[in-house]
């Protein structure tokens, strides 16, 4: 397949007037699939009403068909056509966080969306992105757009159009380049269809921010609290976000981590180290990458997937990664790192003093 490339990277206002966006929107209306920027990561979009269009997303990504997709909308009015009800609590959340990186789960109106979008569930995940290019594409197409991240299944999500090309060039109809994404991690997924709200996936919007708005305690899905991979929602059982070389999370002092690296290099392995700005110069390995400062976790989130993909451009056999504090966006960072590592940890034993 020939992939069309459009760039709107340098045009900041009024994307709806740009012929590139109009052309990409026409592709969506023609049931072809197009990658586009959002404020979280690049999405791979399809007409959410069409089985023919949505099926192409699963085929291009190699995504298991029981992993449902998020539907992206640009106007509140679109929501009412797709869902069977909007609770008071959800209205508060929408007012506070849309457009933005919060995905909400709704009871779905039956017979409207392609069943492939929801993988046979009676609920549907919906969000309104804040990226001007994403909003213009949705508005111009006049359709709700189903879009997972625009990567091959299992790989780190793309935060630039170049990442999308690496994974999907020749497999999708088009790529709309709007520059690097902002947040760098996927949206927070919140399920408000049960007796109390539950976070199914941590993201840029934190539990504390959500609790302030709903004035209620928000639970975190139990699989996120354990170090084992217990599936709760569809899609959660799959390994995700991984570079090609196996990744191990290391919990210990720099000197001890260096001894792990030395041991593997002595055995003939090429070792990559995912470090922070504070520690980068302290490691000696085959490739040491700085993912950002521990004092700026938003920046670490922004850089994480790009850094994981950089290891794929090298010939390292294994990667060790430092861990980050589980506060604010650190919860989402550690969730992605744990999945990338398949929950493999190496932990320093405490010495008795
Ligand atoms: P992705 O589009 O790859 O970033 O992933 C979408 C996420 O939303 C996955 O974790 C899905 O399991 C989740 N999701 C989508 N629809 C639903 C739904 N109806 N109920 C629960 N989780 C959902
Ligand atoms: Mg994804």
């Amino acid at each position: 397949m020939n992939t069309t490339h459009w760039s709107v990277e340098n045009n900041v206002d009024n994307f709806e007037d740009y012929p590139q966006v109009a052309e990409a929107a026409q592709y969506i209306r023609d049931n072809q699939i197009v990658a586009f920027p959002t404020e979280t990561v690049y999405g791979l979009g399809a007409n959410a009403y069409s089985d023919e269009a949505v099926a192409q997303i699963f085929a291009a990504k190699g995504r298991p068909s029981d992993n449902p997709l998020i539907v992206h909308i640009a106007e509140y009015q679109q929501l009412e056509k797709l869902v069977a009800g909007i609770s008071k609590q959800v209205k508060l959340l929408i007012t506070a966080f849309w457009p933005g990186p919060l995905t909400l789960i709704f009871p779905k109106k039956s017979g409207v969306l392609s069943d492939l979008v929801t993988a046979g569930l009676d609920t549907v995940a919906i969000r309104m992105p804040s990226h001007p290019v994403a909003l213009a594409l949705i508005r111009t197409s006049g359709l709700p757009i189903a879009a997972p991240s625009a990567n091959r299944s299992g790989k780190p999500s793309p935060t630039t159009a170049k990442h999308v090309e690496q994974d999907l060039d020749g497999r999708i109809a088009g790529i709309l380049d709007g520059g690097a994404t902002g947040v760098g991690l996927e949206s927070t997924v919140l399920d408000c269809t049960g007796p109390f709200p539950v976070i199914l996936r941590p993201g840029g919007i934190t539990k504390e921010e959500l609790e302030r708005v709903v004035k209620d305690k928000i639970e975190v899905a139990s699989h996120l609290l354990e170090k084992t991979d217990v599936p709760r929602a569809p899609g959660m059982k799959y390994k995700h976000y991984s570079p090609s070389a196996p990744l191990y999370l290391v919990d210990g002092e720099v000197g001890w981590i260096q001894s792990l690296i030395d041991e593997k290099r002595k055995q003939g392995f090429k070792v990559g180290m995912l470090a922070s700005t504070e520690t980068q110069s302290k490691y000696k390995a085959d490739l040491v990458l700085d993912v950002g400062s521990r004092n700026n976790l938003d920046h670490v989130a922004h850089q994480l997937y790009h850094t994981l993909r950089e290891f794929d451009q090298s010939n390292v056999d294994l990667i060790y990664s430092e861990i980050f504090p589980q506060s604010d966006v650190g919860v989402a960072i550690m969730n992605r790192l744990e999945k990338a590592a398949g929950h493999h940890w190496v932990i320093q034993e405490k010495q008795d003093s």
Side-chain angles (χ1 to χ4, degrees):
M1 182 188 291
N2 206 1
T3 303
T4 307
H5 293 248
W6 303 279
S7 178
V8 289
E9 196 177 352
N10 301 316
N11 301 327
V12 281
D13 298 313
N14 249 340
F15 287 98
E16 273 151 275
D17 295 339
Y18 286 99
Q20 297 94 324
V21 173
E23 209 176 302
Q26 188 58 49
Y27 275 46
I28 296 283
R29 275 200 298 272
D30 291 341
N31 292 341
Q32 305 198 69
I33 58 173
V34 170
F36 63 98
T38 81
E39 76 279 21
T40 59
V41 301
Y42 271 74
L44 179 58
N47 173 3
Y49 293 135
S50 161
D51 287 343
E52 180 204 353
V54 175
Q56 292 170 56
I57 287 181
F58 288 93
K61 285 185 55 110
R63 182 177 173 107
S65 62
D66 63 350
N67 191 1
L69 307 178
I70 296 169
V71 176
H72 294 69
I73 60 172
E75 326 275 352
Y76 188 77
Q77 287 82 329
Q78 283 183 293
L79 182 64
E80 291 165 336
K81 293 187 197 151
L82 307 177
V83 305
I86 307 169
S87 69
K88 269 200 191 132
Q89 197 173 45
V90 166
K91 278 187 186 148
L92 285 175
L93 288 163
I94 288 173
T95 307
F97 298 108
W98 280 9
L102 176 65
T103 296
L104 294 161
I105 309 288
F106 297 86
K108 83 169 177 191
K109 206 176 261 183
S110 59
V112 182
L113 292 164
S114 160
D115 278 334
L116 300 177
V117 169
T118 50
L121 298 172
D122 51 12
T123 55
V124 57
I126 301 184
R127 109 174 168 95
M128 188 187 291
S130 66
H131 196 294
V133 177
L135 288 171
L137 181 70
I138 300 164
R139 278 198 194 110
T140 312
S141 72
L143 294 166
I145 297 185
S149 49
N151 50 282
R152 288 299 290 265
S153 214
K155 301 303 292 177
S157 299
T159 54
T160 65
K162 186 151 192 60
H163 296 161
V164 179
E165 263 171 48
Q166 285 165 357
D167 278 18
L168 296 173
D169 211 18
R171 302 180 66 87
I172 62 178
I175 301 174
L176 186 53
D177 184 350
T181 62
V183 180
L185 295 181
E186 297 80 355
S187 58
T188 303
V189 178
L190 184 69
D191 184 355
C192 295
T193 61
F196 44 78
V198 181
I199 292 176
L200 301 182
R201 176 174 74 185
I205 293 179
T206 65
K207 180 169 175 284
E208 291 71 23
E209 288 173 289
L210 295 169
E211 280 175 342
R212 239 172 274 141
V213 170
V214 297
K215 299 194 173 59
D216 193 3
K217 195 167 151 39
I218 296 202
E219 302 294 328
V220 176
S222 59
H223 74 279
L224 296 172
L225 304 172
E226 294 156 11
K227 283 194 176 152
T228 55
D229 217 358
V230 183
R232 181 178 176 269
M236 289 178 168
K237 60 180 182 273
Y238 301 107
K239 194 176 171 194
H240 255 105
Y241 319 117
S242 304
S244 308
L247 180 80
Y248 300 89
L249 301 180
V250 285
D251 183 3
E253 293 155 7
V254 169
W256 169 79
I257 296 173
Q258 184 61 51
S259 70
L260 294 179
I261 298 172
D262 292 343
E263 194 183 312
K264 286 295 163 201
R265 293 181 87 197
K266 228 181 276 162
Q267 293 167 12
F269 294 106
K270 291 209 183 325
V271 179
M273 182 68 215
L274 191 152
S276 50
T277 308
E278 288 77 9
T279 55
Q280 186 196 20
S281 64
K282 297 182 183 159
Y283 294 111
K284 194 169 173 329
D286 295 281
L287 179 63
V288 182
L289 294 178
D290 168 14
V291 72
S293 167
R294 302 186 152 273
N295 297 323
N296 187 351
L297 291 181
D298 286 333
H299 187 59
V300 171
H302 176 78
Q303 300 250 102
L304 180 64
Y305 287 144
H306 180 74
T307 308
L308 290 176
R309 278 177 177 266
E310 265 190 74
F311 284 111
D312 279 352
Q313 306 298 314
S314 75
N315 59 353
V316 297
D317 301 305
L318 72 135
I319 304 159
Y320 288 122
S321 172
E322 287 187 0
I323 58 172
F324 292 86
Q326 301 242 21
S327 56
D328 303 316
V329 75
V331 177
I333 291 169
M334 283 307 295
N335 169 262
R336 304 309 190 276
L337 274 174
E338 282 228 47
K339 285 205 160 202
H343 303 271
H344 290 131
W345 285 73
V346 190
I347 300 170
Q348 182 176 22
E349 276 176 36
K350 296 269 174 298
Q351 304 289 324
D352 291 328
S353 50

